[in-house]
């Protein structure tokens, strides 16, 4: 049984369909990249996993249980954490307070989890009492990922974790993703940064205009000219 199985979902906003027959799976321990151009539907796939959107057809299963139709309050305790694009941290709260809020579903072992996050992102520890709104873009992204980890998820969903960051910070964020996965958290990441996504992923899927057009190991996709073409053709 896969940790996450997306089985032939169709998804629409109102009467505009944006996903057709999308299937993908994530095995426990993997990092999987969902690639594709702007507007291909990547974010919509993550929203459907979280229950923010209900599929018109098909099903999402987490640990074998259908989850697509549940709301996020119900899904999070079962082990899914979503770090949305655009960060969505609480600007007026401190770093430390933001991390605590991430743990609202699973308060046991809070101190150890916070230590793990400070170990991965030492800059957050240095700034633990600083208001989140005054952090740099890169630090805010680290905080968003850290907050997601505070619920000790089995599956971490990352939407464009590196978007808008300076190149040196992009490397730091991807190194952190690699480490989070090495330490046992399964990761599904949505990315436009092909190079870095395939550097840290085991496998990937390419979404083109709402349909999966290609899939394979990271090595296969990194050398497949059609992957880059799918971005240019959009
Ligand atoms: P990006 O990288 O630009 O965020 P994406 O691959 O994540 O792109 P989605 O955000 O999933 O793509 O969008 C897929 C399609 O669904 C787009 O055509 C978008 O305009 C449309 N869409 C997204 N959200 C809504 C919404 N709330 N209402 C109507 N259409 C939407």
């Amino acid at each position: 049984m896969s940790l996450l199985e997306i089985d032939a979902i169709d998804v629409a906003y109102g009467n505009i369909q944006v996903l057709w027959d999308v299937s993908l799976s994530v095995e426990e321990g993997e990092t999987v990249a969902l690639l594709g151009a702007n507007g291909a539907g990547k974010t919509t796939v993550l929203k459907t996993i979280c229950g923010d959107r209900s599929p018109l057809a098909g099903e999402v299963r987490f640990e074998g249980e259908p989850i697509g139709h549940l709301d996020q309050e119900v899904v999070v305790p079962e082990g899914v954490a979503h770090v949305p694009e655009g960060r969505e941290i609480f600007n007026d709260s401190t770093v430390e307070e933001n991390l605590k809020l991430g743990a609202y579903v699973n308060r046991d072992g809070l101190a150890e989890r916070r230590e793990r996050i400070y170990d991965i992102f030492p800059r957050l520890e240095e700034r633990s009492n600083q208001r989140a709104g005054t952090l740099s873009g890169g630090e805010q992204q680290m905080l968003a990922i850290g907050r997601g980890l505070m619920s000790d998820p089995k599956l971490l969903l990352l939407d464009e974790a590196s978007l808008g960051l300076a190149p040196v910070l992009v490397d730091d964020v991807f190194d952190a993703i690699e480490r989070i996965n090495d330490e046992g958290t399964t990761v599904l990441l949505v990315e436009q940064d092909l190079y870095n996504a395939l550097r840290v992923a085991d496998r990937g899927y390419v979404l083109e205009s709402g349909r999966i057009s290609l899939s394979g190991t990271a090595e296969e996709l990194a050398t497949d000219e059609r992957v880059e073409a799918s971005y240019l053709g959009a």
Side-chain angles (χ1 to χ4, degrees):
M1 182 181 65
S2 304
L3 184 64
L4 176 76
E5 282 168 289
I6 298 182
D7 186 6
I9 56 168
D10 290 344
V11 179
Y13 294 98
N15 53 18
I16 302 175
Q17 189 168 343
V18 300
L19 297 180
W20 285 265
D21 197 30
V22 169
S23 295
L24 65 85
S25 64
V26 180
E27 307 302 321
E28 200 165 345
E30 281 190 311
T31 294
V32 173
L34 180 58
L35 307 166
N38 265 319
K42 306 178 299 296
T43 299
T44 304
V45 172
L46 296 191
K47 285 185 183 165
T48 310
I49 297 168
C50 296
D52 286 353
R53 306 299 309 170
S54 296
L56 299 173
E59 191 170 70
V60 180
R61 291 183 293 275
F62 181 67
E63 298 187 300
E65 296 292 317
I67 60 166
H69 60 285
L70 299 176
D71 58 17
Q72 203 166 1
E73 270 78 30
V74 183
V75 174
V76 173
E78 297 189 10
V80 180
H82 180 205
V83 180
E85 188 179 356
R87 303 180 187 130
E88 297 182 19
I89 54 177
F90 297 100
N91 285 331
D92 293 330
S93 304
T94 66
V95 166
E96 184 113 359
E97 286 161 355
N98 267 277
L99 290 179
K100 272 192 193 143
L101 288 165
Y104 71 101
V105 292
N106 185 355
R107 293 203 150 264
D108 299 338
L110 197 143
E112 290 100 86
R113 266 178 272 145
R114 193 176 50 213
E115 285 318 302
R116 177 188 176 203
I117 289 156
Y118 284 157
D119 201 44
I120 297 170
F121 299 115
R123 291 175 77 93
L124 293 183
E125 182 160 30
E126 289 161 22
R127 286 151 206 279
S128 59
N129 294 316
Q130 189 173 324
R131 284 195 313 114
T134 64
L135 297 173
S136 73
E139 290 160 356
Q140 289 186 8
Q141 187 58 54
M142 292 170 194
L143 178 57
I145 297 172
R147 199 179 59 180
L149 287 174
M150 282 299 283
S151 65
D152 200 19
K154 290 184 180 154
L155 176 64
L156 183 65
L157 306 175
L158 294 174
D159 198 347
E160 304 280 6
S162 68
L163 196 71
L165 301 185
V168 54
L169 288 175
V170 170
D171 286 345
D172 286 352
V173 166
F174 279 99
D175 288 348
I177 293 169
E178 223 171 2
R179 174 165 170 195
I180 289 161
N181 179 250
D182 286 345
E183 291 178 359
T185 308
T186 305
V187 178
L188 175 60
L189 53 94
V190 156
E191 264 305 327
Q192 291 194 47
D193 182 340
L194 267 182
Y195 170 79
N196 275 303
L198 293 175
R199 172 169 77 80
V200 302
D202 300 298
R203 291 189 301 117
Y205 295 84
V206 179
L207 200 54
E208 244 178 300
S209 306
R211 299 171 198 271
I212 301 285
S213 59
L214 284 169
S215 63
T217 65
E219 291 77 22
E220 286 163 355
L221 293 177
T223 54
D224 190 328
E225 287 167 2
R226 290 173 297 176
V227 177
E228 219 163 313
S230 76
Y231 280 72
L232 300 173

